[in-house]
Amino acid sequence: MTSTSNLPAVVSREEWLAARKELLAREKELTRARDRVNAERRRLPMVRVDKPYTFEGPNGRVGLLDLFEGRPQLVVHHFMWTYDIDADGTEHPRDTGCSSCSSAADQIPARLRQLHVRNTSLAAVSRAPYEKLAAYRARMGWAFPWYSSAGSDFNYDFHATVDDRVAPVQVYLRSEDELAEAGMPWSADLRGDYPGISAFLRVGDEVFHTYATFGRGIEEFHNCYPYLDLTALGRQEDWEEPEGRAEPLGLEVGGPGLRVPDEYDT
């Protein structure tokens, strides 16, 4: 339900245009700032990937180099899976992926040709067995490549799975000590998968890790946010201003109303 008492003011077209131009000046500042940050991102140093990671996909076992599909760049969605976990920590993969990661995956284009013609491949990687991924992908009607990293160190080395029993803790690019300093002390409850995006560059047969982002760094890929941010009601989340403009839907990442994509149809 939208609060009619808190909607935008109704004005003439001339008044709207004047207000819009004021906002445009700030949007241009943001665009220029984004361009500067993007340039700094491209200037980041990179790390050579020497470990021979293996993945399982529709054609069996493949290496990291195969995920590039012959192109020089690769973007990887670290897709969280869902598990039932025994008291001793044994995981049993369910038949569905994380609802938040599914929200992001639901917006990956059915055709990736706009990336491909720009020398870039895209793939999702999850720890779950490939047969679980393939069945869920078919259920959702998704077309993007999706690989299982089960049995590989890939998720742990790139901090898409964090488990202090396996590898040093790094959450949102912070070490265990840095998490404590930030008021987010590490505990066993935080073990598990984390959504993220990594970028890789191929030079000949060598692969380099160039970028990684987690948390709000991937929110552009969730819930159609870039479109919603252009609207008067926005994302309809409880933190947004103007306060009380729209009733929160609970559909934010991790929100109580967020569902697996095809469940909205029922």
Side-chain angles (χ1 to χ4, degrees):
M1 182 69 68
T2 301
S3 172
T4 56
S5 63
N6 198 24
L7 292 179
V10 178
V11 298
S12 68
R13 175 58 62 179
E14 291 74 19
E15 290 172 305
W16 177 89
L17 184 58
R20 177 65 189 91
K21 287 180 177 178
E22 288 184 12
L23 178 60
L24 178 60
R26 293 190 289 277
E27 287 178 338
K28 287 186 175 182
E29 291 174 4
L30 182 60
T31 297
R32 287 189 286 269
R34 183 182 63 214
D35 289 343
R36 290 192 296 271
V37 170
N38 286 342
E40 291 174 14
R41 183 182 294 115
R42 292 190 294 273
R43 293 188 181 101
L44 277 174
M46 58 188 185
V47 179
R48 180 179 284 103
V49 180
D50 292 322
K51 190 176 290 188
Y53 299 107
T54 58
F55 308 85
E56 186 173 359
N59 298 315
R61 305 294 288 181
V62 298
L64 180 57
L65 197 61
D66 297 297
L67 273 58
F68 284 78
E69 299 178 336
R71 301 180 184 92
Q73 296 195 126
L74 170 68
V75 175
V76 169
H77 272 265
H78 298 290
F79 192 119
M80 294 172 58
W81 201 251
T82 54
Y83 299 86
D84 294 313
I85 304 176
D86 295 339
D88 64 359
T90 303
E91 296 177 324
H92 304 278
R94 299 175 182 172
D95 293 331
T96 58
C98 159
S99 57
S100 293
C101 287
S102 296
S103 164
D106 212 38
Q107 294 164 74
I108 296 175
R111 288 186 292 268
L112 297 175
R113 60 189 174 199
Q114 298 300 329
L115 281 175
H116 292 171
V117 299
R118 292 165 174 84
N119 304 311
T120 304
S121 293
L122 180 147
V125 173
S126 301
R127 276 195 307 140
Y130 178 70
E131 59 269 20
K132 296 280 188 183
L133 309 182
Y136 189 55
R137 178 176 177 266
R139 169 183 160 182
M140 292 295 122
W142 295 332
F144 56 83
W146 198 354
Y147 296 89
S148 169
S149 62
S152 164
D153 294 334
F154 182 80
N155 273 49
Y156 299 98
D157 289 349
F158 292 95
H159 310 292
T161 301
V162 184
D163 190 333
D164 54 311
R165 300 166 298 184
V166 178
V169 168
Q170 188 182 110
V171 178
Y172 303 144
L173 305 176
R174 291 174 170 173
S175 68
E176 189 169 349
D177 290 342
E178 290 170 330
L179 288 170
E181 291 175 4
M184 302 168 54
W186 170 259
S187 71
D189 293 338
L190 297 176
R191 290 172 182 157
D193 292 351
Y194 286 78
I197 294 179
S198 289
F200 299 87
L201 179 69
R202 179 175 67 87
V203 181
D205 288 337
E206 289 189 297
V207 175
F208 300 88
H209 183 222
T210 62
Y211 185 71
T213 189
F214 302 89
R216 290 198 68 181
I218 63 173
E219 73 172 12
E220 286 186 54
F221 305 95
H222 281 281
N223 305 341
C224 293
Y225 281 154
Y227 291 108
L228 293 170
D229 286 342
L230 303 180
T231 68
L233 299 185
R235 305 179 185 187
Q236 296 155 80
E237 297 177 4
D238 59 8
W239 60 272
E240 286 185 291
E241 296 181 357
E243 185 176 355
R245 165 67 60 82
E247 180 179 347
L249 301 176
L251 295 175
E252 67 274 9
V253 171
L258 193 65
R259 303 179 184 177
V260 168
D262 66 351
E263 292 179 355
Y264 294 115
D265 300 334
T266 58

